[in-house]
Amino acid sequence: MQQFDQIIARLPYSKPFLFVDKLHAVDENGVEGSYTFPEDSAFYKGHFANRPVTPGVILTEVMAQIGVVCLGIFLATDALDNDLEIALTSTQVDFFRPVFPSETVLVRSTKDYFRFHKLKCKVEMLNSNGELVCRGTIAGMMKSKNHA
């Protein structure tokens, strides 16, 4: 559990753009974590009027933070210091169900490959009923700012 807290502490995000509440599992092949969408999140205002829905770009960001960045931090712990540069390189996501304010989602990620500082993962998001919200492939690059 302490290892999970250390990974979350190394994320280069802060509220309100930190979309990781808890990591449940992590190993060299993947990660699982969750996030609950606060009802008062700014992106709900006007999306959509009288029926707020979490934007797909935010769902993608949640999957990227948990499924790629958290896993990348775990995989590169010995190679990288605390001063990370992170860049999203590609996404392909299909959406199946909406996510509403106050919902908790579970993200599961499976490593496709990690080489030359590039991590590519198959990622899926489930709602609290275990229903598939979205899934796809997300890739990103990570490197230490001190080792250009």
Side-chain angles (χ1 to χ4, degrees):
M1 194 61 113
Q2 182 181 8
Q3 177 186 31
F4 297 163
D5 293 338
Q6 290 173 349
I7 292 169
I8 292 171
R10 291 187 64 195
L11 289 168
Y13 316 105
S14 62
K15 297 282 183 190
F17 207 76
L18 174 63
F19 297 115
V20 182
D21 287 334
K22 185 175 182 181
L23 295 178
H24 305 281
V26 64
D27 64 26
E28 64 278 353
N29 296 310
V31 64
E32 182 177 289
S34 58
Y35 180 72
T36 301
F37 290 93
E39 195 171 333
D40 62 350
S41 295
F43 50 79
Y44 289 126
K45 293 177 176 62
H47 192 268
F48 294 94
N50 303 317
R51 181 84 166 132
V53 175
T54 309
V57 68
I58 299 296
L59 298 177
T60 302
E61 182 65 27
V62 173
M63 291 195 306
Q65 287 187 19
I66 294 173
V68 178
V69 182
C70 286
L71 181 57
I73 289 169
F74 173 80
L75 293 172
T77 296
D78 295 333
L80 301 173
D81 59 23
N82 285 327
D83 202 12
L84 296 176
E85 288 182 326
I86 298 173
L88 181 69
T89 59
S90 65
T91 63
Q92 182 282 311
V93 178
D94 294 316
F95 300 92
F96 304 101
R97 295 188 178 283
V99 174
F100 301 105
S102 301
E103 277 197 75
T104 299
V105 295
L106 179 72
V107 174
R108 291 185 185 139
S109 175
T110 304
K111 178 182 73 177
D112 191 11
Y113 65 81
F114 181 50
R115 60 181 172 267
F116 305 114
H117 303 287
K118 184 172 183 176
L119 176 60
K120 182 177 180 183
C121 298
K122 291 176 178 63
V123 186
E124 68 178 8
M125 178 183 287
L126 306 171
N127 64 19
S128 57
N129 294 326
E131 300 165 319
L132 184 63
V133 170
C134 51
R135 73 170 159 221
T137 304
I138 302 176
M141 300 288 293
M142 309 178 99
K143 71 174 191 165
S144 170
K145 287 182 184 176
N146 297 328
H147 299 100

